[in-house]
Amino acid sequence: MTNVYPLPPQKRSLDEASEWLARLDRGLSEEEQRELETWLAQHPENRRSLLRLASLWDQMGGLSRLAELFPQERKQRKFLYPAIAASLAVIVAVGWLVVQRSPDLSISEDRSIASVAGSYETEIGERSTVRLADRSVLTLNTNSLVEVTYDARQRVLVLERGEMSIEVAHDPARPLSVIAGHRVVRAVGTAFNVQIVDEGQVELIVTEGAVVVVDDIERRGSSTPRTVTKGERVLLGVDRETISKVSDSALSAELSWRQGNLIFRGETLAVAIAEVSRYTPVKFEIADERLKQLRIGGMFKAGDVDGLLATLEENFNIDSERPDAERVLLKAR
């Protein structure tokens, strides 16, 4: 018998731990409980990853459930709880500093402990992708602004307006938090999309791993963290926040902007035009109220007004007039 065995890749272990943490947060069935125990027994790294993420993500309930699986951790929980609360307070404080838009930018030679304060911005119709100091990949959609603050303990991005997608580099010692509309979306190594829909409402879509959402950062301790996992979407800031599954095809359509495209799959003309308007200064008017409910589909280049009008005319019998360079009037043929 040998005691030598290969370690599982850290990324896989952390991803799987994220999924289990989400299930713990929602409650396990008896079958899932057995599956979790089997997964934990497969390798010591699985246990370490689950405990690490639970402490980093402020999952108080999750830690309580983990204590039932790891009795030796019970004595440590009273020390973990204050640390978790303190870590969230640090995020709030850093978020406030970022909103002040400090112009300083300094990056130490050691990239693992980089200290950064800066901003990234796109104009209407622009799209930008940048690799951040920790090797996370940030993509900004049209008319967006993100403030970035990194230090040796945490990574914080404040989405001031617009939409962003991020592939988070794994760094368990420095969780990454996105603050948008008084919500904190927190992750260690995952990928997700955040859009400020309007004042007070934020849409979150998770494409890899899992994230934790904390509401109302100005009222500390007033909200319960919620976990959103891969392939799920939630609209924050509405009366009834519901986490829903997103199909692969719908996900591709939702995030097609990252390739410079807009994909519609039966949305009404009114909804489609509202989305198109984000990418151009041209103002659209729909002459016929009934026309607004016409459902359309297809792929369009973001910002290509002429191409859009040609497609509407050829495929949907919608004519257009341009009273001036800044306006387009749509009407049924």
Side-chain angles (χ1 to χ4, degrees):
M1 180 178 293
T2 175
N3 291 327
V4 178
Y5 47 84
L7 288 174
Q10 183 185 35
K11 182 179 186 302
R12 185 181 66 185
S13 181
L14 285 171
D15 285 346
E16 292 174 351
S18 298
E19 296 285 351
W20 278 116
L21 189 62
R23 295 189 192 183
L24 279 165
D25 184 51
R26 297 174 185 174
L28 298 181
S29 65
E30 291 184 4
E31 181 179 356
E32 288 176 324
Q33 180 79 18
R34 290 192 294 270
E35 291 176 359
L36 174 57
E37 292 171 357
T38 299
W39 178 78
L40 290 168
Q42 287 175 353
H43 198 281
E45 183 64 27
N46 292 343
R47 176 181 178 278
R48 287 193 291 267
S49 294
L50 191 60
L51 287 172
R52 186 186 306 130
L53 289 183
S55 61
L56 284 172
W57 286 358
D58 306 316
Q59 289 296 285
M60 308 294 276
L63 285 173
S64 298
R65 297 182 185 94
L66 290 179
E68 298 173 1
L69 295 172
F70 311 126
Q72 63 269 33
E73 257 75 18
R74 282 200 180 106
K75 294 181 180 180
Q76 299 176 9
R77 278 189 291 146
K78 62 181 180 180
F79 301 108
L80 285 172
Y81 290 169
I84 291 172
S87 67
L88 182 57
V90 168
I91 289 178
V92 175
V94 171
W96 182 86
L97 290 173
V98 172
V99 174
Q100 304 313 302
R101 300 187 181 180
S102 169
D104 297 333
L105 176 62
S106 59
I107 304 178
S108 66
E109 292 184 3
D110 183 355
R111 304 290 281 195
S112 66
I113 55 172
S115 178
V116 180
S119 63
Y120 300 92
E121 185 174 15
T122 56
E123 301 296 333
I124 294 176
E126 291 183 340
R127 176 171 48 90
S128 177
T129 298
V130 60
R131 185 177 294 273
L132 301 177
D134 66 333
R135 300 183 183 277
S136 294
V137 178
L138 171 68
T139 303
L140 293 185
N141 202 355
T142 176
N143 192 24
S144 300
L145 172 62
V146 174
E147 303 283 356
V148 177
T149 295
Y150 279 13
D151 62 25
R153 298 182 60 186
Q154 65 261 316
R155 302 169 286 172
V156 179
L157 285 72
V158 178
L159 181 62
E160 299 280 7
R161 70 170 188 269
E163 183 174 13
M164 58 164 280
S165 181
I166 187 166
E167 298 176 14
V168 182
H170 281 278
D171 189 350
R174 290 194 306 169
L176 184 144
S177 299
V178 173
I179 301 174
H182 303 305
R183 271 77 183 171
V184 177
V185 179
R186 197 174 191 192
V188 173
T190 182
F192 55 94
N193 194 88
V194 180
Q195 179 187 356
I196 297 177
V197 180
D198 56 30
E199 186 175 354
Q201 294 188 2
V202 176
E203 182 188 63
L204 167 67
I205 301 175
V206 178
T207 54
E208 290 292 339
V211 303
V212 169
V213 179
V214 180
D215 288 345
D216 299 324
I217 62 174
E218 293 180 345
R219 295 183 294 164
R220 303 178 191 177
S222 63
S223 63
T224 301
R226 283 143 14 252
T227 304
V228 186
T229 61
K230 178 180 178 179
E232 292 183 337
R233 166 174 46 199
V234 60
L235 183 61
L236 307 170
V238 296
D239 292 337
R240 297 185 63 181
E241 295 179 359
T242 302
I243 297 176
S244 58
K245 282 287 186 181
V246 184
S247 67
D248 290 342
S249 59
L251 190 63
S252 296
E254 288 270 2
L255 303 181
S256 60
W257 65 265
R258 297 186 298 187
Q259 289 77 44
N261 300 318
L262 297 177
I263 297 178
F264 299 114
R265 304 166 62 247
E267 288 85 351
T268 65
L269 181 63
V271 169
I273 290 300
E275 180 66 11
V276 169
S277 298
R278 297 173 58 200
Y279 298 84
T280 174
V282 173
K283 305 299 181 184
F284 292 86
E285 300 174 16
I286 302 177
D288 188 342
E289 286 295 321
R290 291 175 297 177
L291 195 58
K292 293 181 180 180
Q293 302 307 313
L294 177 67
R295 296 193 176 275
I296 67 171
M299 183 174 73
F300 306 87
K301 280 294 180 183
D304 181 8
V305 175
D306 291 337
L308 169 68
L309 297 180
T311 300
L312 292 179
E313 180 178 354
E314 294 172 6
N315 298 329
F316 299 97
N317 295 320
I318 299 175
D319 290 332
S320 62
E321 294 180 2
R322 303 194 72 158
D324 53 56
E326 297 180 351
R327 290 188 300 152
V328 172
L329 178 63
L330 300 176
K331 58 183 181 180
R333 183 176 302 172

